[in-house]
Amino acid sequence: MASVTHSLMNIKKAAVLFGAGTDEYADAITSAACVGTSTTVPWQPISGNDQSDAETPQWVINLDFGQDLSAPTSLNAQLLSRYDEVTDIVIRPQGGEAGPSIEAEVRVGLVSQVGGGRGVATASCALVVQGQPTIKAADGTVIYPKPITP
């Protein structure tokens, strides 16, 4: 059996492009996680041959960020003003144009809170992925969803 090399992905200088892809918000974000869920539906016919089927995965991108209402272009203001709109997001864990990426069309959810108590005001927002995200390896190869081969 061949040993597969494992290269840890160190997240530093990440980039998050939101909207038209020209505004980069990494300085506002503490976490950007693309989370998928899927359930398996089991079925047992009278033959005793168990069967199951996995449902289509549902994805959400969870953003945690520092609040900033100083300008209409801040991430906080953009998320509040774009509630329920569909827009694009690109997450580049290692920044720049090269390297791995997560790209998706998302529906903007409700920002969790505005304001807060003592200390840094933070908030979160769930961006519901429309369809499936495209996850690419560092070399640009699409690794999800699986490419369809004839």
Side-chain angles (χ1 to χ4, degrees):
M1 178 183 308
S3 177
V4 177
T5 302
H6 181 79
S7 298
L8 292 176
M9 183 169 60
N10 197 8
I11 298 181
K12 59 182 182 181
K13 296 192 176 192
V16 178
L17 305 171
F18 181 73
T22 57
D23 295 329
E24 202 283 308
Y25 290 101
D27 281 344
I29 297 171
T30 49
S31 175
C34 186
V35 181
T37 58
S38 179
T39 56
T40 301
V41 181
W43 182 64
Q44 187 176 49
I46 59 174
S47 68
N49 296 324
D50 291 348
Q51 300 176 34
S52 64
D53 186 37
E55 294 181 346
T56 302
Q58 302 296 310
W59 292 85
V60 65
I61 295 176
N62 294 317
L63 296 180
D64 295 324
F65 55 94
Q67 294 184 42
D68 176 7
L69 297 173
S70 65
T73 55
S74 73
L75 177 62
N76 203 168
Q78 286 295 305
L79 291 169
L80 287 167
S81 67
R82 292 183 182 204
Y83 170 71
D84 205 34
E85 287 183 15
V86 175
T87 190
D88 295 322
I89 189 168
V90 177
I91 301 170
R92 297 190 183 282
Q94 297 172 330
E97 292 299 315
S101 67
I102 302 166
E103 302 171 15
E105 183 179 66
V106 295
R107 181 172 297 278
V108 179
L110 186 63
V111 172
S112 65
Q113 69 181 38
V114 178
R118 185 179 170 119
V120 175
T122 61
S124 61
C125 186
L127 308 173
V128 178
V129 175
Q130 306 299 290
Q132 301 297 303
T134 300
I135 303 173
K136 296 180 182 177
D139 67 0
T141 303
V142 174
I143 55 177
Y144 184 89
K146 295 178 188 175
I148 297 173
T149 54

